[in-house]
């Protein structure tokens, strides 16, 4: 493929994904159609289908094209502060447009489309999980966590309340709530004094 043709393809892909995001924000994912996306992007629907075999996979790519920078964990030597920082950034990202409502729709679609679920896990959930687990492992190695604590369970306990509020109760993910989650979790994760 020539450079000119590759650039045109990249530009067309970007235009289609932007049209997808715009339409999803305007009418919601439930009303999103390949035909509407093609019309908004100024391309034929076959052009869309050549790149994405389904509406769900198109939506996944469009949502994941949005900037999620800042979700990597720092290592300041204070696991609670580091987790608080990332959880606060994640809450800010998920708690407001455009990411929040679009991500909620994407999670909903993943419940019905195994391909979307697998791709979402592989491209977003698994990397975020691995990053958090690596930070928890480092904290464990530094003696900040009990040596026998189940880090996979810790991750699920830390992320569960955020998803519960985001997807079920739709209550705000406030700094105070994040602090309460961290306090509750770390009461059980802290190293315990050795008994003789």
């Amino acid at each position: 493929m020539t450079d000119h043709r590759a650039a045109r393809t990249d530009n067309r892909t970007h235009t289609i994904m932007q049209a997808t995001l715009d339409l999803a924000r305007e009418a919601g994912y439930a009303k999103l159609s390949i035909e509407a996306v093609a019309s908004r992007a100024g391309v034929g629907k076959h052009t869309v289908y050549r790149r994405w075999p389904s509406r769900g996979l198109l939506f996944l790519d469009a949502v994941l094209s949005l900037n999620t920078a800042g979700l990597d964990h720092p290592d300041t030597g204070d696991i609670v502060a580091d987790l608080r920082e990332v959880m606060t950034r994640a809450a800010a990202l998920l708690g407001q447009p455009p990411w929040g409502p679009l991500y909620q729709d994407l999670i909903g679609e993943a419940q019905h489309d195994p391909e979307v679920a697998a791709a979402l896990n592989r491209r977003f959930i698994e990397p975020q999980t691995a990053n958090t687990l690596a930070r928890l492992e480092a904290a464990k190695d530094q003696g900040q966590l009990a040596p026998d604590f189940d880090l996979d369970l810790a991750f699920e306990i830390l992320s569960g309340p955020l998803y519960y509020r985001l997807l079920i109760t739709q209550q705000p993910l406030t700094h105070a709530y994040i602090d309460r989650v961290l306090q509750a979790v770390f009461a059980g994760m802290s190293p315990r004094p050795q008994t003789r």
Side-chain angles (χ1 to χ4, degrees), residues 23-178:
L23 288 168
R25 282 192 291 250
E26 291 166 17
Y29 176 73
K31 295 182 180 177
L32 185 72
S33 70
I34 296 290
E35 292 77 11
V37 169
S39 176
R40 174 73 64 99
V43 300
K45 70 180 182 178
H46 295 293
T47 300
V48 177
Y49 278 116
R50 267 195 301 277
R51 289 169 173 79
W52 297 277
S54 72
R55 171 180 82 132
L57 290 172
L58 167 59
F59 186 61
L60 171 86
D61 275 356
V63 172
L64 294 185
S65 74
L66 295 171
N67 185 1
T68 59
L71 295 182
D72 286 343
H73 288 273
D75 187 348
T76 65
D78 181 344
I79 184 63
V80 176
D82 294 347
L83 287 171
R84 180 181 295 113
E85 182 178 330
V86 172
M87 290 171 75
T88 300
R89 281 190 248 137
L93 182 70
L94 295 172
Q96 60 191 356
W99 231 93
L102 294 173
Y103 187 65
Q104 288 174 338
D105 284 343
L106 184 57
I107 294 285
E109 179 61 15
Q111 304 311 301
H112 306 285
D113 186 332
E115 282 186 278
V116 171
L120 177 61
N121 281 326
R122 183 180 66 254
R123 293 176 50 199
F124 184 72
I125 303 295
E126 289 173 6
Q128 294 301 318
T129 301
N131 185 262
T132 302
L133 289 174
R135 181 61 190 96
L136 290 169
E137 186 69 45
K140 192 179 198 181
D141 292 345
Q142 295 163 357
Q144 295 180 54
L145 303 177
D148 62 341
F149 200 84
D150 182 335
L151 298 182
D152 291 316
L153 180 61
F155 173 78
E156 291 171 4
I157 292 170
L158 287 166
S159 59
L162 302 183
Y163 276 98
Y164 179 75
R165 279 207 169 188
L166 175 72
L167 299 172
I168 307 299
T169 68
Q170 297 185 345
Q171 292 178 303
L173 297 170
T174 64
H175 292 233
Y177 181 72
I178 290 169

